[in-house]
Amino acid sequence: MSLLNQTHNPELTSWLTSANVENSDFPIQNLPFAIFKRNNASESFRGGVAIGDQVIDLAALSAKKVFDGVVGAALTACSQTTLNEYMAMPASTWSALRSALSQALSSGSSLQSDIESCLIAQSDVVFDLPCRIGDYTDFYTSVYHATTVGKFFRPDNPLLPNYKWVPIGYHGRSSSIGVSGQAFHRPKGQTKAPDADAPTVGPCKRLDYEMEVGIYIGGGNEMGESIAIDQSDEYIFGMCLFNDWSARDIQGWEYQPLGPFLAKNFASTVSPWIITNEALAPFRMAWSRDENDPQPLEYLSSARNSELGAYDVQLEVFIETPKMRDEKQPAAKLSHSSFRHSYWTTAQMVAHHTVNGCNLVAGDFLGSGTQSGPDAAEAGSLLELTGAGKNRLDLGNGETRGFVEDGDAIVMRGFCEKSGVKRIGFGECYSLVLPAK
Ligand code: MN
């Protein structure tokens, strides 16, 4: 079962030299999508594809009319202020545009001058959300995260009995999802210390990040219809980095019995580029369930899911404190893990989300849940890395952190690397915490 084609060929190079630089996030094998415009320009946002240190302006390319048919129609859809219409097109159309762009960017292409005239330096652009996110669902797919966090909230009963049967999730809020560069005020809310008689209201004292993979839905299913596990690739447009900001003290008091609410809906940040599902194909790998654990029910199980359900997306988190900014020190690395450790696959998330007939719509967004690996140092949140704030982290410059403080920025980076395959990157997801209002 091969998902690979000529666009993944590691030997492929571009006439654009910055795309061929070793360790570039955006070689010709990547071709991720974003919504952008030139910084300080009074012009509309529109679709773009990253190549090297440039963005291809897809509206400008569409206007040149060098492509017709399916690819021409795809470029028309990508010229809009959101990618929803493009994401609603069939996966075969996404593939056709990727193939056309790959050929046009390849060394020796006769379309070089047409594309060249549509390039804008990434350093000159600003981003918007890539699509209107209609609905957002956050999953909880790292068993390591679920177990460690469960111990803080329920020492006697960390992993609830449904965890190994159900890909657990909750419906989140879309309106407060922002794109990288987002600055937000520390949330306020109700908290109650375990030994206090009554709660108080005030600024959150335990502000945390969650290192997640974001999954954008393409296509869509009719209400009442389910998406079978082996059909999920037709509905997964692509992935990004996702910081699901969390107020741990608010969460601890409010989360029972209905789950996360105000602890989670004040801000969440996505990286600007959507790495397409097709670009990620070389980094898919076998997924399996420990033989001592319950095996997934039939609708969550397939040979294809076992063969290539997991994605080896490596994830890194850094903190940049005001002192680091002032003293021009690099951001300090907090942890590094991979999406391949996920207890549930993206195919299982899609199949489970629709098993009841829930209709997914192009532009819907799934969070993977915090991706913590098996090793304690691979944890995807400060709650885990500091033992709920008890063991402050040494940042290596004389500073320590228990939770995120005012003025701190959290930076996430992601990439895929494998021998014999061209490395691709996710770019960066940056967000800054301002003092409470
Ligand atoms: Mn989350």
Side-chain angles (χ1 to χ4, degrees):
M1 202 182 306
S2 178
L3 302 171
L4 303 186
N5 56 46
Q6 176 59 15
T7 66
H8 303 105
N9 180 353
E11 305 299 327
L12 215 54
T13 58
S14 174
W15 44 257
L16 182 71
T17 50
S18 68
N20 305 326
V21 170
E22 191 76 11
N23 288 331
S24 163
D25 271 358
F26 308 118
I28 191 170
Q29 291 82 358
N30 194 347
L31 306 179
F33 288 77
I35 288 288
F36 80 100
K37 72 178 187 80
R38 268 178 285 226
N39 196 11
N40 297 321
S42 56
E43 58 185 27
S44 295
F45 279 100
R46 67 272 192 189
V49 162
I51 179 75
D53 59 7
Q54 304 287 306
V55 185
I56 307 172
D57 180 342
L58 297 179
L61 183 58
S62 177
K64 283 185 170 288
K65 304 226 178 288
V66 292
F67 296 101
D68 54 13
V70 166
V71 175
L75 286 172
T76 304
C78 291
S79 307
Q80 300 187 16
T81 55
T82 71
L83 291 172
N84 293 74
E85 191 178 302
Y86 178 57
M87 294 160 81
M89 289 174 151
S92 57
T93 300
W94 310 335
S95 238
L97 178 55
R98 174 177 167 86
S99 172
L101 291 176
S102 174
Q103 287 173 45
L105 287 162
S106 289
S107 304
S109 166
S110 60
L111 296 177
Q112 176 173 343
S113 64
D114 287 311
I115 304 280
E116 257 173 348
S117 61
C118 301
L119 294 180
I120 300 173
Q122 283 169 30
S123 56
D124 290 342
V125 309
V126 290
F127 297 100
D128 199 355
L129 286 174
C131 61
R132 270 185 328 277
I133 298 174
D135 274 303
Y136 151 48
T137 304
D138 199 25
F139 281 90
Y140 198 48
T141 66
S142 164
V143 71
Y144 308 106
H145 172 74
T147 305
T148 310
V149 169
K151 276 181 195 153
F152 296 128
F153 290 113
R154 295 175 305 276
D156 311 333
N157 189 19
L159 205 60
L160 294 171
N162 57 4
Y163 187 86
K164 294 187 171 181
W165 296 96
V166 179
I168 298 290
Y170 68 94
H171 282 115
R173 187 166 182 86
S174 318
S175 67
S176 47
I177 299 178
V179 73
S180 182
Q182 183 178 35
F184 65 92
H185 293 277
R186 174 179 298 273
K188 290 183 285 196
Q190 270 198 39
T191 60
K192 186 181 116 29
D195 53 355
D197 293 332
T200 55
V201 65
C204 160
K205 294 192 184 72
R206 297 185 154 214
L207 182 62
D208 200 359
Y209 61 82
E210 293 192 330
M211 176 176 76
E212 304 196 16
V213 174
I215 298 139
Y216 285 98
I217 296 297
N221 59 307
E222 293 295 322
M223 192 171 158
E225 299 291 327
S226 303
I227 298 173
I229 187 165
D230 282 352
Q231 253 76 64
S232 63
D233 278 329
E234 291 161 44
Y235 300 89
I236 295 173
F237 179 75
M239 301 189 192
C240 69
L241 305 170
F242 182 51
N243 184 349
D244 181 25
W245 286 97
S246 298
R248 300 300 184 194
D249 42 358
I250 298 172
Q251 184 179 0
W253 172 230
E254 76 171 7
Y255 88 103
Q256 294 196 86
L258 288 187
F261 183 30
L262 301 181
K264 297 279 190 172
N265 68 2
F266 55 90
S268 316
T269 316
V270 293
S271 54
W273 296 106
I274 306 179
I275 313 303
T276 63
N277 194 34
E278 191 171 355
L280 292 166
F283 308 99
R284 293 175 68 160
M285 49 187 292
W287 172 89
S288 64
R289 177 58 56 79
D290 190 298
E291 61 181 15
N292 299 313
D293 277 2
Q295 299 305 301
L297 295 177
E298 200 175 340
Y299 77 101
L300 296 174
S301 178
S302 77
R304 181 186 172 87
N305 187 56
S306 301
E307 192 179 326
L308 38 76
Y311 291 73
D312 190 12
V313 178
Q314 301 199 50
L315 303 162
E316 297 178 315
V317 188
F318 302 80
I319 189 167
E320 181 193 79
T321 66
K323 176 173 148 83
M324 291 171 188
R325 261 194 304 278
D326 292 347
E327 298 180 2
K328 306 253 185 292
Q329 299 161 355
K333 192 167 174 172
L334 297 175
S335 70
H336 182 163
S337 189
S338 167
F339 189 30
R340 74 191 171 90
H341 299 302
S342 181
Y343 194 80
W344 298 102
T345 66
T346 51
Q348 289 168 325
M349 291 182 228
V350 169
H352 182 67
H353 206 307
T354 60
V355 69
N356 64 346
C358 171
N359 50 326
L360 295 180
V361 176
D364 281 358
F365 187 78
L366 312 181
S368 64
T370 309
Q371 291 303 302
S372 300
D375 192 287
E378 296 171 322
S381 69
L382 281 176
L383 180 72
E384 294 159 87
L385 289 172
T386 66
K390 282 196 204 69
N391 314 308
R392 290 177 69 87
L393 282 184
D394 184 345
L395 303 185
N397 67 341
E399 293 185 284
T400 63
R401 283 295 181 275
F403 286 98
V404 182
E405 298 187 4
D406 291 347
D408 289 349
I410 294 293
V411 185
M412 298 184 175
R413 297 197 189 113
F415 58 91
C416 299
E417 225 168 41
K418 183 179 164 184
S419 143
V421 176
K422 189 73 181 177
R423 175 197 184 278
I424 62 172
F426 277 62
E428 191 174 278
C429 179
Y430 178 101
S431 33
L432 176 70
V433 178
L434 305 172
K437 268 189 173 172

